[in-house]
Amino acid sequence: MTSPAKFRKDKEIVAEYETQVKEIRAQLVEQFKCLDQQCELRVQLLQDLQDFFRKKAEVEMDYSRNLEKLSERFLTKTRSTKDHQLKKEQSVLSPVNCWNLLLSQVKRESRDHATLSDLYLNNIIPRFAQVSEDSGRLFKKSKEVGVQLQEDLMKVLNELYAVMKTYHMYNTDSINSENKLKDAEKQEEKQMGRSGRQDDRQTPRSPDTLASIKTEEKHVRRSSVKKIEKMKEKRQAKYTENKLKAIKARNEYLLALEATNSCVFKYYIHDLSDIIDCCDLGYHASLHRALRTYLSAEMNVEASKHSGLEGLEGAAESLEPNGDKQRLMETYNNVFCPPMRFDFQSHMGDTMGLVCAQQPLEGELLQRCQQLQSRLSTLKIENEEVKKTMEATLSTIQDMVTVEDYEVSECFHHSNSMESVKSTMSQSFLSKPSLAKRRANQQETEHSCPAVALSFCLLFCYN
Amino acid sequence: MTSPAKFRKDKEIVAEYETQVKEIRAQLVEQFKCLDQQCELRVQLLQDLQDFFRKKAEVEMDYSRNLEKLSERFLTKTRSTKDHQLKKEQSVLSPVNCWNLLLSQVKRESRDHATLSDLYLNNIIPRFAQVSEDSGRLFKKSKEVGVQLQEDLMKVLNELYAVMKTYHMYNTDSINSENKLKDAEKQEEKQMGRSGRQDDRQTPRSPDTLASIKTEEKHVRRSSVKKIEKMKEKRQAKYTENKLKAIKARNEYLLALEATNSCVFKYYIHDLSDIIDCCDLGYHASLHRALRTYLSAEMNVEASKHSGLEGLEGAAESLEPNGDKQRLMETYNNVFCPPMRFDFQSHMGDTMGLVCAQQPLEGELLQRCQQLQSRLSTLKIENEEVKKTMEATLSTIQDMVTVEDYEVSECFHHSNSMESVKSTMSQSFLSKPSLAKRRANQQETEHSCPAVALSFCLLFCYN
């Protein structure tokens, strides 16, 4: 038997267990605190989302109303134009068509943003409200279950505590009864040793006294041995009983230990995860649907806008002077149609409707014809020159007015810093130095152009 | 010679020509009126476009500011959260990530619409202003050239008028001198006829008187014939001269007629078209560029928005409960990590750390084991049932929360009538009857779910 100082005291073991259980209890409390916080944050987030979309619905409605006002302002102006004929005539021209499409586009955007606002209010916000409600309800229910599970766990831990203490108690009992048994065995041993020694000692006493003493002693000794034996038996029985109890208690302790560890494992590894899963049940999916609704709405606004812009793009590509000129001339046909040819009006029955080139006029006419032909050749050469200059001028102007300077994507390159946006923006259309120079060139170039263009056909003129 | 009644009178011809010229002159005036009107309408359109974009720039700036305010309102709230640790922890969760991206998206849209507003003011409006300026300048110049061309045309028409009248005059002179010549020829014929009759009459007179009379008569007659011949010659010469003049005048008239018709043709077919071309020079191309700038700006806003929405879509697709649970448990590791296993604490040197199953415990333990096994089997069967119910319930809830009810494109179908938009809009998320019913089902279904889910693992519990 080793020294008791080597064994940890019951108190130490119990105190250690109590500390362990206290720590677990504290963790369990923290777990709910943490889940409570997550739930609060979730409720807050869903509230923020609702507030956000409520405010954004206002912003979109505002935008929609402003766009509506903007388009109405100009559409009313067009509608109120009293000259219906003029309105009709104008609408066939390609720039007017672009203008009308531009106003339609604004009207369309106005409607789309109103729809967006409506979807925020009547679809997306109710979704978030619902998610919030569902989350709260599920959290409450999950927490109830969690509380039950924690109580179950605590019960198990308390049971282990009790079982452990029982084991300690029964083991103490067993040790005590073992010690008592050992004491009895020692006494028996002592008793056995003493009677042996007394028999061996053979002290010099009278045989009678000796005999009577011996008989008396024998009687006492026998009853003492019997007593000790009886006690030993009793203690043996007690020890056996207590030993069994202790073993049983240890078995219970060992089984409880396994069960407790399994329960703790189950709670930490499965239950906690399940509680969180139950709190989350449908949360992500519902949030996903709400966000997808938002995305669908925005993407549809975008697609609608895009389709409108494509229409406008088509109209811009159809901006074409020749078609418009044709339409203008057709519309004002009475103003632009050439008059009847002037016919020869014979005078007083003058039947000759042709140039008479007989003698003596022939020579003169021939001479005049030659003069005209020579003038014509000169004009032709001059006109070729003029034509070349004009074509070059026109080509220059054409290049100027068709320069593809309309790509503004550089203004929309989002760098990570928001400051740099400003710098791209401030670069305005007219502030570009190259452009100012080009403008000056253009005016100079076009200066001569109409005169050149119109003088070009003077060939036909009679000199 | 036919009756003069058959010929149109000079006055008639002249009046007709004057009417024709008057009509042309009126047409020329109308042409400029028409071009003036087109120019005014063009200036008006360009003014409207500038006003429109100025107003739209305001609308966009307003929208941008409101979006900015909206995002700042919530970003400030997030920023001002004092618990930086909590903020950091939260930001790893997928719903918070979505929320942050949503705010970024609004910020991005705010910036884009500010850029749009800036582009309207500093690029698009100046373009329209420039087109307007160019148009005005070109129109003025084209009109100057047009006025010159019209004056030239009128000059030609007046010349034809003059030449025609000259032809009439000379032809009249020619006819008159022809008539006079014919008179002279008649007189001569008469004179000839009279002297012949006098010779044939042979009136009974004395030969002397007859002879003297004859001599005298012969003398008178001869001088008369001579006179008539002389007159005839003179008239013949006058007639020839006038006839030539008339033919020349007619030639001039015929040539002028051709030239005038050519000039009229050239003016109406070429010059008018050229004048319009000159008025239009660069107009459509510049308008096209201005509109393309607008389109480029809008398309870039759209592309930027789209790219932001795609990011948000990715985040929405990443809304995932398991990852969040994992992150939460990692973040609060101290709260969620399982405690140490409970180890067997041997009591007072009790070295036996295993369940003792020797006699007399064996029978009892075996019996208990059998009881536990039978309880386990029952629980297993029960749990299988519970598991099935739970899986069905979960699947039902899963189906409910993942139903793809987020497509809202129907709200954006633009019918031709604008009224029908309202009707699509009023159909809100919660007002759908199917949805209300589904909601009721969901709450009923989930009612049992957390309890079921959590009772599922009780198997591990020591009984």
Side-chain angles (χ1 to χ4, degrees), chain A residues 36-88:
Chain A
D36 277 338
Q37 191 195 46
Q38 289 307 309
C39 178
E40 270 167 38
L41 288 167
R42 188 169 290 184
V43 168
Q44 187 53 55
L45 175 64
L46 289 162
Q47 191 54 53
D48 280 353
L49 280 162
Q50 288 174 71
D51 290 348
F52 170 83
F53 277 105
R54 200 166 291 118
K55 194 87 196 81
K56 190 156 198 283
E58 278 173 33
V59 173
E60 296 298 338
M61 196 34 100
D62 240 45
Y63 186 50
S64 167
R65 279 205 204 95
N66 285 335
L67 289 176
E68 170 78 13
K69 252 188 257 165
L70 174 61
S71 67
E72 273 311 310
R73 181 179 171 160
F74 290 95
L75 284 171
T76 311
K77 202 175 155 188
T78 311
R79 272 190 221 112
S80 70
T81 303
K82 272 161 198 156
D83 194 339
H84 289 283
Q85 189 55 34
L86 183 66
K87 216 160 67 184
K88 209 175 132 197

Side-chain angles (χ1 to χ4, degrees), chain B residues 2 16 20 25 84 166 180 182 246 306 330 338 395 459:
Chain B
T2 43
E16 191 187 81
Q20 240 176 313
R25 196 194 304 272
H84 289 284
T166 304
K180 275 186 184 165
K182 277 179 185 159
H306 190 82
E330 278 164 18
S395 150
L459 258 177

Side-chain angles (χ1 to χ4, degrees), chain A residues 32 44 75 95 99 104 131 324 361 363 372 388 416 443 456:
Chain A
F32 274 132
Q44 187 53 55
L75 284 171
W99 170 236
S104 302
V131 175
D324 283 347
L361 296 167
L372 278 173
K388 270 182 206 159
N416 292 329
Q443 293 195 24
F456 178 52

Side-chain angles (χ1 to χ4, degrees), chain A residues 375-390 452 454-460:
Chain A
R375 172 99 181 92
L376 196 62
S377 312
T378 318
L379 276 175
K380 262 186 184 162
I381 292 160
E382 278 175 24
N383 271 329
E384 273 309 307
E385 284 307 305
V386 168
K387 196 182 171 187
K388 270 182 206 159
T389 313
M390 194 192 72
V452 169
L454 289 168
S455 67
F456 178 52
C457 293
L458 285 174
L459 257 174
F460 287 91

Side-chain angles (χ1 to χ4, degrees), chain A residues 187-221:
Chain A
Q187 274 182 40
E188 190 189 39
E189 221 166 78
K190 222 158 94 189
Q191 193 65 39
M192 295 292 210
R194 192 185 296 157
S195 64
R197 249 181 296 138
Q198 271 175 349
D199 287 346
D200 300 340
R201 240 191 317 181
Q202 302 292 350
T203 45
R205 278 191 191 172
S206 68
D208 278 6
T209 45
L210 278 173
S212 72
I213 289 166
K214 262 182 189 170
T215 312
E216 199 191 330
E217 273 187 348
K218 259 182 197 165
H219 184 76
V220 171
R221 221 183 297 155

Side-chain angles (χ1 to χ4, degrees), chain B residues 13 54 56 120 159 189 226 228 278 329 352 374 394:
Chain B
I13 293 171
R54 201 166 290 119
K56 191 157 198 281
Y120 286 171
E159 271 178 31
E189 220 169 77
K226 247 182 199 160
I228 286 167
C278 285
M329 286 180 147
M352 185 70 168
S374 117
L394 263 179

Side-chain angles (χ1 to χ4, degrees), chain A residues 106-305:
Chain A
V106 171
K107 208 161 178 67
R108 174 184 206 138
E109 285 178 24
S110 163
R111 274 203 314 279
D112 288 346
H113 283 271
T115 307
L116 201 59
S117 177
D118 184 83
L119 281 170
Y120 287 170
L121 290 176
N122 296 315
N123 187 327
I124 295 169
I125 292 173
R127 279 176 188 270
F128 286 121
Q130 198 184 97
V131 175
S132 189
E133 190 198 314
D134 291 354
S135 267
R137 199 175 55 246
L138 278 172
F139 179 78
K140 206 175 146 224
K141 204 160 282 182
S142 304
K143 202 180 165 182
E144 279 167 24
V145 176
V147 165
Q148 188 56 52
L149 286 167
Q150 289 196 350
E151 278 172 9
D152 289 349
L153 183 64
M154 287 318 296
K155 218 168 110 192
V156 169
L157 290 172
N158 289 335
E159 272 177 29
L160 179 62
Y161 184 65
V163 165
M164 187 178 72
K165 287 214 287 196
T166 306
Y167 159 61
H168 287 179
M169 199 175 68
Y170 285 178
N171 207 44
T172 306
D173 288 353
S174 168
I175 289 165
N176 286 343
S177 48
E178 191 185 10
N179 287 342
K180 274 184 184 166
L181 176 63
K182 276 177 184 158
D183 272 359
E185 278 168 351
K186 265 182 204 156
Q187 274 182 40
E188 190 189 39
E189 221 166 78
K190 222 158 94 189
Q191 193 65 39
M192 295 292 210
R194 192 185 296 157
S195 64
R197 249 181 296 138
Q198 271 175 349
D199 287 346
D200 300 340
R201 240 191 317 181
Q202 302 292 350
T203 45
R205 278 191 191 172
S206 68
D208 278 6
T209 45
L210 278 173
S212 72
I213 289 166
K214 262 182 189 170
T215 312
E216 199 191 330
E217 273 187 348
K218 259 182 197 165
H219 184 76
V220 171
R221 221 183 297 155
R222 203 175 296 134
S223 81
S224 172
V225 167
K226 250 186 198 153
K227 233 171 158 180
I228 287 169
E229 256 171 19
K230 215 172 182 178
M231 188 186 72
K232 207 191 95 186
E233 259 168 39
K234 224 170 124 191
R235 288 193 179 174
Q236 178 68 52
K238 190 72 188 170
Y239 168 62
T240 308
E241 186 196 333
N242 283 354
K243 180 79 190 169
L244 190 67
K245 265 192 183 167
I247 290 173
K248 268 189 168 175
R250 192 182 58 207
N251 277 356
E252 288 303 319
Y253 174 43
L254 283 165
L255 288 172
L257 209 55
E258 275 309 302
T260 303
N261 280 327
S262 288
C263 275
V264 170
F265 174 80
K266 173 186 159 293
Y267 175 80
Y268 275 88
I269 304 304
H270 296 282
D271 293 352
L272 267 179
S273 178
D274 287 347
I275 291 170
I276 296 174
D277 283 348
C278 283
C279 289
D280 285 350
L281 189 69
Y283 172 63
H284 291 76
S286 300
L287 211 60
H288 175 253
R289 280 155 66 222
L291 282 173
R292 294 279 344 192
T293 308
Y294 160 73
L295 287 168
S296 170
E298 292 283 350
M299 297 275 196
N300 272 294
V301 168
E302 198 194 295
S304 168
K305 179 171 181 167

